Amino acid sequence: MLVESKRSKQKPVQVSKWIAENKSSKKSILLLEKSIPYFLFFIAMISILTTVGIVLVLVTETYEFFTRVSFLEFFTGKVLRPLSQNPEFGILPLINGTIISSVIALLVAGPIGIMTAVYLSEYASDRVRRVLKPMLELLAGIPTIVYGFFAFTFVTPLLREFIPGLGATNILSPGIVMGIMIIPMIASLSEDAMSAVPNAMREGALALGATKLEVTFRVIIPAALSGIIASFVLGASRAIGETMIVTIASGSSKNFTFDLTQSMQTMTAYIVEVSGGDAPTGSTIYYSLYAVAMTLFCFTLLMNIIARYVSRRFREEY
Amino acid sequence: MHSVISVKALNKKIVTSSEKSQQESLIENPIVFETDDLNLWYSDTQALKNIQLPIYEKNVTAIIGPSGCGKSTYLKTLNRMVELVPGVQTSGTIKYRGKNILDKSFKVEELRTQVGMVFQKPNPFPKSIYDNIAYGPKIHGIRNKKILDEIVEQSLRGAYIWDEVKDRLKQNAYGLSGGQQQRLCIARCLAIEPDVILMDEPTSALDPKSTLKVEELIQELKKEYSIVIVTHNMQQAARISDYTAFMLNGELVEFTDTNTLFSMPKDKRTEDYITGRFG
């Protein structure tokens, strides 16, 4: 006791002394404080400059491509024959394949993802949620090559039991598997958005005699809509940019068709095929890579712009 | 200080009406809620102990008491919102118009349609003013646009907020001031024509001017609705209620008409509380 009271008497003196002694080092700290913003700015610029660089390369090489193939032919051509004697470069089959596979993926992932999110945020007990959510997010960590393999060796044969005409490579199976792949993303982000809706909203609705389902669908989901839409768009972007699954399970036929049992090629899979093959630098087929990549880039950019607009439009402030 | 003044004011009132006539009025009013031997536990902690309390029709019943005395818990038991807390257990009965609401066969949605609630913090939905009011009628099956329009106007008028919002029904409810939001929440509650309205410290988040408006509104509402209000503010209870219950540590210490409770409390603890000795 005695010792303690002694210490507490001495303490104030010691602290101020200590601060005074350390003041000498303050100058270097000040310098560090001042230089840190510049340093961090430089670090931040790395990713920005890289992006700008990539876009610049895309633009110049795409421009080169369009000096050889007309803009109109590229965007309206239904035939893609880059390796034939008289090659044709119509991107429509690739756009078609990309959109179809992404739409299938969203049709699978959308409802399942939302329902999973509803269960986790509104119905599951804390304990269940604490176990399930990390498991779900783990699913997002599976390499896409595994999903591709899974689509090719498991889902396609399974689907063939029901759809006899299904090709060994087809767009349906990778579409479904891509959907499975983006379920965790949609579920997890939507769950975040729904959990962020204040409990007071639930109480307010319940106190009016609403059932849990009515609270969920008429209060929680509308209130979380901007987050849910954002999760959909992110999922769609992911599906559009997905490469391995479609490359493996959808083959490389450049069909322009709406028949889901057929093999189709997406923009990403085309880039894999051509850059994996021997496209001599400077050839038209080499430049077509950049034109397709540019189109892909515009697609995802457009998605992001739509997402921003839509989520702002539907935002319910609380 | 304030409580002394209000008690004095109440004493004046009492001169006009004898204690006997008050006793009679106690018996005359039909009972909406009859609470009998209610106990409630949050897991291991007992929050309500042997509560015995009637709620009278078309009167304002105030529940006062220090923080943590169980007054909000009791209020939330009346529409079973207390069940949202995991691990809640109850014993005893609360009869709403003769039926025990604590019975699991009593449909909770039906109960809450009859027993509306206004919360401590205004909690409008992040929707338009119109949709906030129309939400309740819609979930109870009213789809007709004309009828909904009428309900919205009638409810907003009932909560004395119509004139302030009639030109911006389609705007988001969060653009309203706190006091307006609270009256909007009361209007939302009125839209399904409840029998009883529970209010959980409805003015504690409001400024004095908005508080006054809500208090005036409560005076109007009691002509048609039975109101139970939990309040931290003894003056408020004295101003607006007909009956007052004083709770302490999960027990109901005293329940009688407001005038008597504030002028001649029977229990020493009630007296100490209303004269500001603790709480």
Side-chain angles (χ1 to χ4, degrees):
Chain A
M1 281 300 281
L2 203 82
V3 173
E4 224 176 73
S5 67
K6 223 177 172 182
R7 258 172 74 192
S8 64
K9 258 182 194 169
Q10 274 181 356
K11 210 176 170 189
V13 184
Q14 277 185 338
V15 170
S16 59
K17 225 171 106 188
W18 186 79
I19 290 173
E21 273 168 13
N22 277 272
K23 236 172 200 169
S24 54
S25 62
K26 270 273 166 73
K27 237 177 199 169
S28 61
I29 290 174
L30 212 69
L31 197 73
L32 188 69
E33 285 287 347
K34 274 198 173 162
S35 57
I36 277 247
Y38 298 102
F39 173 70
L40 291 180
F41 175 77
F42 174 74
I43 298 285
M45 283 316 276
I46 291 178
S47 81
I48 294 169
L49 285 178
T50 313
T51 314
V52 170
I54 289 173
V55 173
L56 271 181
V57 171
L58 275 183
V59 169
T60 51
E61 304 288 41
T62 305
Y63 178 78
E64 178 60 34
F65 174 77
F66 282 123
T67 60
R68 299 169 186 220
V69 179
S70 85
F71 202 72
L72 201 72
E73 191 203 321
F74 185 62
F75 281 109
T76 56
K78 290 178 186 168
V79 183
L80 182 62
R81 278 191 310 208
L83 292 167
S84 108
Q85 289 287 24
N86 39 358
E88 281 182 73
F89 291 96
I91 199 180
L92 281 184
L94 299 184
I95 291 181
N96 183 55
T98 303
I99 291 179
I100 286 182
S101 59
S102 299
V103 166
I104 296 172
L106 276 185
L107 285 178
V108 171
I112 297 178
I114 286 234
M115 281 189 269
T116 309
V118 165
Y119 172 72
L120 284 177
S121 107
E122 305 302 314
Y123 288 88
S125 69
D126 264 5
R127 245 179 61 204
V128 173
R129 182 182 17 232
R130 269 205 298 273
V131 175
L132 275 189
K133 215 183 164 193
M135 275 171 69
L136 196 73
E137 280 159 359
L138 207 68
L139 207 65
I142 297 176
T144 56
I145 186 90
V146 177
Y147 279 113
F149 192 67
F150 171 67
F152 186 64
T153 59
F154 178 74
V155 177
T156 300
L158 187 74
L159 286 173
R160 270 184 146 165
E161 303 278 320
F162 307 100
I163 312 165
L166 195 71
T169 55
N170 60 80
I171 200 77
L172 185 61
S173 162
I176 291 171
V177 172
M178 274 200 312
I180 295 170
M181 178 188 76
I182 59 178
I183 286 172
M185 181 183 250
I186 290 183
S188 177
L189 289 175
S190 299
E191 199 267 338
D192 287 343
M194 287 184 210
S195 297
V197 177
N199 247 332
M201 302 294 121
R202 294 181 181 85
E203 286 176 359
L206 285 172
L208 287 168
T211 61
K212 209 159 190 179
L213 201 67
E214 285 162 344
V215 176
T216 305
F217 280 94
R218 286 165 181 258
V219 176
I220 306 301
I221 289 183
L225 199 61
S226 66
I228 294 171
I229 290 173
S231 80
F232 268 61
V233 175
L234 272 176
S237 292
R238 179 90 199 269
I240 289 172
E242 173 46 39
T243 311
M244 281 330 292
I245 299 175
V246 279
T247 305
I248 293 175
S250 183
S252 55
S253 318
K254 292 144 187 71
N255 287 328
F256 182 74
T257 170
F258 298 109
D259 183 357
L260 303 185
T261 60
Q262 298 283 312
S263 159
M264 292 181 211
Q265 195 168 42
T266 64
M267 290 189 262
T268 49
Y270 175 78
I271 295 172
V272 171
E273 188 200 356
V274 174
S275 55
D278 32 19
T281 312
S283 64
T284 311
I285 182 165
Y286 167 80
Y287 284 117
S288 77
L289 278 180
Y290 289 95
V292 170
M294 187 72 199
T295 314
L296 191 62
F297 176 73
C298 290
F299 255 72
T300 41
L301 192 69
L302 193 72
M303 292 297 294
N304 281 330
I305 291 168
I306 292 172
R308 282 193 167 218
Y309 171 76
V310 172
S311 72
R312 216 170 278 171
R313 175 85 182 65
F314 286 97
R315 168 149 288 162
E316 287 194 340
E317 301 280 354
Y318 44 79
Chain B
M1 272 301 280
H2 286 287
S3 63
V4 174
I5 295 165
S6 65
V7 170
K8 270 184 194 165
L10 285 164
N11 278 332
K12 258 185 216 165
K13 257 193 193 170
I14 277 159
V15 180
T16 55
S17 55
S18 76
E19 209 184 328
K20 205 176 177 190
S21 75
Q22 283 165 16
Q23 288 293 327
E24 272 167 17
S25 73
L26 267 176
I27 298 155
E28 269 170 39
N29 288 321
I31 291 173
V32 185
F33 274 113
E34 177 78 76
T35 304
D36 196 16
D37 199 18
L38 176 70
N39 289 282
L40 184 140
W41 293 265
Y42 288 125
S43 303
D44 295 329
T45 354
Q46 187 165 11
L48 297 176
K49 295 167 192 162
N50 307 318
I51 305 284
Q52 211 90 25
L53 184 69
I55 304 288
Y56 296 104
E57 192 177 57
K58 290 181 186 168
N59 274 288
V60 178
T61 305
I63 305 173
I64 58 169
S67 307
C69 70
K71 54 190 192 303
S72 281
T73 299
Y74 174 69
L75 192 78
K76 283 179 188 159
T77 315
L78 292 180
N79 66 346
R80 280 173 57 184
M81 287 294 276
V82 78
E83 284 172 11
L84 297 183
V85 183
V88 161
Q89 283 188 312
T90 52
S91 74
T93 58
I94 300 179
K95 280 189 176 151
Y96 167 68
R97 303 242 180 235
K99 275 188 195 157
N100 183 14
I101 60 162
L102 296 181
D103 200 70
K104 289 291 162 206
S105 66
F106 200 106
K107 272 180 94 177
V108 74
E109 288 82 19
E110 265 169 40
L111 174 69
R112 290 173 187 159
T113 311
Q114 292 299 314
V115 184
M117 189 168 209
V118 176
F119 295 82
Q120 188 168 357
K121 225 178 127 231
N123 62 344
F125 302 129
K127 299 174 184 288
S128 70
I129 292 167
Y130 183 97
D131 287 336
N132 260 279
I133 307 297
Y135 178 85
K138 271 185 187 165
I139 57 169
H140 292 106
I142 297 172
R143 290 270 176 278
N144 187 317
K145 181 90 173 57
K146 261 190 185 159
I147 295 175
L148 283 174
D149 286 349
E150 248 170 63
I151 293 174
V152 168
E153 179 171 346
Q154 189 186 309
S155 311
L156 289 169
R157 279 187 194 282
Y160 292 93
I161 193 180
W162 172 252
D163 288 331
E164 291 160 63
V165 301
K166 65 180 173 198
D167 300 322
R168 45 170 171 162
L169 292 176
K170 293 288 168 206
Q171 286 175 29
N172 194 299
Y174 278 74
L176 299 172
S177 74
Q180 288 173 324
Q181 285 184 19
Q182 193 62 299
R183 278 180 288 142
L184 180 75
C185 291
I186 294 174
R188 180 175 73 186
C189 184
L190 299 183
I192 51 170
E193 289 192 345
D195 180 18
V196 187
I197 301 176
L198 310 176
M199 298 189 174
D200 189 1
E201 303 196 27
T203 61
S204 67
L206 305 184
D207 60 271
K209 213 172 154 191
S210 307
T211 300
L212 186 69
K213 278 195 173 167
V214 171
E215 286 184 5
E216 283 169 0
L217 175 58
I218 292 171
Q219 290 304 310
E220 281 301 312
L221 290 176
K222 77 168 192 184
K223 290 173 187 161
E224 296 196 37
Y225 304 94
S226 317
I227 295 170
V228 187
I229 178 170
V230 160
T231 174
H232 225 81
N233 181 331
M234 277 177 283
Q235 288 76 45
Q236 184 172 62
R239 277 194 301 267
I240 63 172
S241 70
D242 303 295
Y243 298 94
T244 301
F246 171 59
M247 287 180 69
L248 188 64
N249 298 331
E251 281 174 70
L252 179 68
V253 175
E254 195 164 349
F255 171 72
T256 179
D257 65 288
T258 302
N259 290 346
T260 314
L261 190 113
F262 279 98
S263 56
M264 286 170 279
K266 285 196 196 91
D267 197 292
K268 180 77 172 59
R269 290 170 292 175
T270 315
E271 197 188 327
D272 287 350
Y273 184 71
I274 61 174
T275 52
R277 234 162 269 169
F278 74 97

